[in-house]
Each structure stands twice: as structure tokens, then as C-alpha cells.
Amino acid sequence: MLLVLMVLVQQPVVAPADLAKRVHTYSIVAYDSATGDLGVAVQSKFPNVGGIVPWAQAGVGAVATQSLANTAYGDEGMRLMAMGARAPEAMRIVMRGDARLSQRQVGMVDAHGNTASWTGDSCFDWAGGRTRGADGQIVVGGKGAMIVGRGFTAQANIMVSDQTVKNMADAFQRAPGTLAERLMAALVAGQAGGGDKRGMESAALLVVRANGGYLGANDRYIDIRVYDDTNPIRELQRLYGLHQLYFFQSRPEDLLLLTPDIVRRLEPILLAEPVGQQEKWLAAPQGTANATFLRALENFMYWENYDVRVRNDGKIDRVALEDVLARRRRR
């Protein structure tokens, strides 16, 4: 018997035929009770993880489906939660029809903050998840286990160790700021815990809010995907900064009166641009924020993609103004 065991141990591990199709990754799904926001953050050594893992719908829930990802957990999970099922119920219902359950890993949260996480027993080590129980204590789940809780759930497979999900859970609970910022803090902490054994390649951040999308037309408040990068979390953070600039609406505290001083700072730009166009935004200096200046500034702001920060009330968004001036100083 000992000889047989020694032979078996020495045999090379043969990867399954579908190994390349598995989304080996770590993710966190969460609910913000203060805003109602729902979101998913994910990182993986797999290209375009954002096109597979994260699903979310405002007022309904959020899902991360990974390992041998089954998008039915996204589609069907959303449908069931929209009908009133809690996240654990929705997950159990979808699991009943899954012929390859042992290869799945899923995290789910509903719009009331109920969470569920499943790790199949065929997921590659290290694999498991963590959520916060109703008593506030962390609930830990390994392979072949479904865990339920409140607020958030983190799950990972083919990790260096369980430190990744431990770090993610701890960081998410400690981090200040918005749901998006807390989700990204969890990704950073997860990578610091070792992350995917094979390295890094792609990442995504999805946060939904009712009427939170572009000009209030949909619920995709934040939808950022890094398809392929040597440091996808760092790139995700950079893109989040751009998203805040171009898609977050002005805060009241950021609105400045268009004083003659601000007009003098902007007029050289309006007199010289658009670059390569014969007709410029302004034909002559105005000196004050009169109707001609305001019309030129509005056209310039739309041209430069500051759509959600355009004003017509004699004010300008400080964030947009600083970006306009900074970009031209760098030229």
C-alpha cells in the first residue's frame, strides 16, 4: 500500500481538458445599505473577466459567477431575485439545474443585503469564500460548502492561500468611502494576500444605482473593465478616476461662480481651440461671463466630453475646470 501511495504521489497532475475555460479568480459582491448601491469587483489571470463574472441590477441584486463560470447564475439569479427570492434561495434554485455544480464558484447578494456564496468541491486550491454572518462575525466556507450572510461575500479559487479572501473581507469592512472605493480596496488587499497563483491579467468593477448611469438613462453607475494588463488593479484605479471625472455629476460644493478671473483663465483656450479648426469657440475676448462666453464655454465642455458637468447658470464645476487647465499645462 505504501509503495502504491508513493507512486501515486509522484504522478504528474494532469489538468482537466476545460482548464483554460475556467475563470480562476477572486471577487467580492456587496450591498450598500446607505445608498442601495449593489456591486461586484473582480480580478483574474484570465482575459476580459469583466465580460463573464460580474452581473448586477439596481434594486435587485449582484452576482459573481466564476471558476467554470455559468452565466445562468447571473441571468436566472437576477430574474429570481427580481421576483422576490432572497439571494440564498435564488442560488439554491439555480444550483438544482446545474449539472456541473462541483466546478462552479458563485457569490450573490440581493437588494436587502442577504448574501450567499458557493464553492464547488472540484474548484482548484485554494478555493473558498467568506461572508459576514447575521451576528457580525465572519462565516468561512471551503470547497463543497454554501455559506450565507449579510452585506458582502468574497470568494476565490486557485489562490496562493486563503489569505486572499481573508484580506478582502477585512479590507471591505474597514475601508471608508463609497461602495466602489471599498470594493477596490478589497481587490488591492486580496492581491496583497497572494492572489491568483498564476498572476494577474484582467479586472472589473460594476456598481449599479437606479438612474445612476449616463445622464440618468440607466442603472450602470460604474461599469469599468480592464481586458488585459500587467497590473489590472492599478489600471482599474486609474480608469475609475477618469470615470469620476467624465460620468459623476457635479457636487454642490464643487460649483464655482464664473468670476472675471476664471473667465481670463479660460478665454485663451476658447480663443485658440478647437485645434485644427478654422472657427474657434470665441472670435474675440469677452472679459466677463456674458451670453457669448457662456455659449462658447458650453460648446467647449461638450466637445471635451464633460457632458455631465456642463452648466448654464453662470457657474463652472471645479473638478472640470482643474482638469481643463491641468491638461493644457502638460501640453
Side-chain angles (χ1 to χ4, degrees), residues 210-253:
N211 306 119
Y214 178 66
L215 298 178
N218 57 52
D219 70 352
R220 291 199 307 277
Y221 182 52
I222 303 167
D223 188 356
I224 305 172
R225 303 176 185 185
V226 179
Y227 197 109
D228 176 72
D229 195 271
T230 56
N231 193 329
I233 297 177
R234 182 178 61 195
E235 179 64 1
L236 190 68
Q237 292 171 315
R238 185 186 74 83
L239 294 176
Y240 176 65
L242 289 177
H243 187 83
Q244 288 177 296
L245 172 65
Y246 291 117
F247 292 95
F248 282 15
Q249 295 187 356
S250 302
R251 301 180 304 172
E253 60 266 34

Side-chain angles (χ1 to χ4, degrees), residues 2-324:
L2 179 59
L3 179 61
V4 172
L5 287 174
M6 290 176 65
V7 171
L8 288 174
V9 168
Q10 292 173 19
Q11 294 301 309
V13 176
V14 179
D18 61 9
L19 177 64
K21 299 179 182 178
R22 301 192 187 187
V23 187
H24 310 297
T25 188
Y26 55 93
S27 67
I28 180 167
V29 297
Y31 164 72
D32 187 329
S33 60
T35 62
D37 291 352
L38 293 148
V40 184
V42 57
Q43 196 285 134
S44 179
K45 183 64 175 75
F46 190 91
N48 192 28
V49 73
I52 303 170
V53 172
W55 300 70
Q57 183 178 340
V60 176
V63 176
T65 174
Q66 56 203 48
S67 189
L68 189 65
N70 181 353
T71 57
Y73 285 91
D75 278 331
E76 187 66 7
M78 289 299 167
R79 187 186 71 83
L80 291 165
M81 287 188 286
M83 294 173 61
R86 295 179 301 116
E89 295 175 282
M91 186 178 289
R92 289 189 181 101
I93 293 171
V94 181
M95 287 169 70
R96 289 175 198 157
D98 191 347
R100 304 184 72 174
L101 186 59
S102 68
Q103 296 170 301
R104 314 296 190 197
Q105 188 171 57
V106 189
M108 193 175 291
V109 63
D110 62 38
H112 301 287
N114 303 298
T115 64
S117 182
W118 161 261
T119 299
D121 55 18
S122 292
C123 293
F124 290 106
D125 291 329
W126 184 89
R130 288 188 175 222
T131 186
R132 184 175 58 221
D135 59 358
Q137 300 300 306
I138 292 295
V139 180
V140 180
K143 293 197 292 185
M146 177 175 172
I147 54 176
V148 299
R150 296 281 305 169
F152 75 91
T153 179
Q155 44 283 317
N157 64 88
I158 203 166
M159 295 294 108
V160 172
S161 73
D162 66 345
Q163 193 65 42
T164 290
V165 290
K166 182 181 186 300
N167 282 9
M168 292 176 75
D170 291 346
F172 181 79
Q173 293 186 100
R174 290 195 314 265
T178 64
L179 178 63
E181 290 160 353
R182 296 170 68 199
L183 289 170
M184 287 195 296
L187 285 190
V188 171
Q191 184 60 35
D196 191 318
K197 285 181 178 178
R198 302 169 307 153
M200 308 170 74
E201 185 163 355
S202 67
L205 174 67
L206 175 62
V207 177
V208 293
R209 174 184 294 182
N211 306 119
Y214 178 66
L215 298 178
N218 57 52
D219 70 352
R220 291 199 307 277
Y221 182 52
I222 303 167
D223 188 356
I224 305 172
R225 303 176 185 185
V226 179
Y227 197 109
D228 176 72
D229 195 271
T230 56
N231 193 329
I233 297 177
R234 182 178 61 195
E235 179 64 1
L236 190 68
Q237 292 171 315
R238 185 186 74 83
L239 294 176
Y240 176 65
L242 289 177
H243 187 83
Q244 288 177 296
L245 172 65
Y246 291 117
F247 292 95
F248 282 15
Q249 295 187 356
S250 302
R251 301 180 304 172
E253 60 266 34
D254 287 330
L255 299 181
L256 305 174
L257 286 172
L258 279 166
T259 63
D261 178 63
I262 293 177
V263 170
R264 281 193 294 271
R265 297 170 74 186
L266 289 172
E267 275 195 330
I269 298 170
L270 300 180
L271 290 163
E273 297 184 22
V275 175
Q277 302 289 321
Q278 184 174 359
E279 186 175 349
K280 306 304 180 183
W281 301 121
L282 273 179
Q286 302 299 305
T288 62
N290 59 22
T292 300
F293 177 88
L294 291 175
R295 184 169 57 254
L297 179 61
E298 180 178 3
N299 289 335
F300 164 79
M301 294 283 282
Y302 278 124
W303 180 277
E304 296 292 326
N305 299 320
Y306 301 108
D307 300 24
V308 299
R309 297 182 186 269
V310 171
R311 313 291 304 179
N312 58 7
D313 57 359
K315 297 179 182 179
I316 189 168
D317 184 297
R318 177 189 58 80
V319 175
L321 174 63
E322 291 177 354
D323 188 68
V324 167

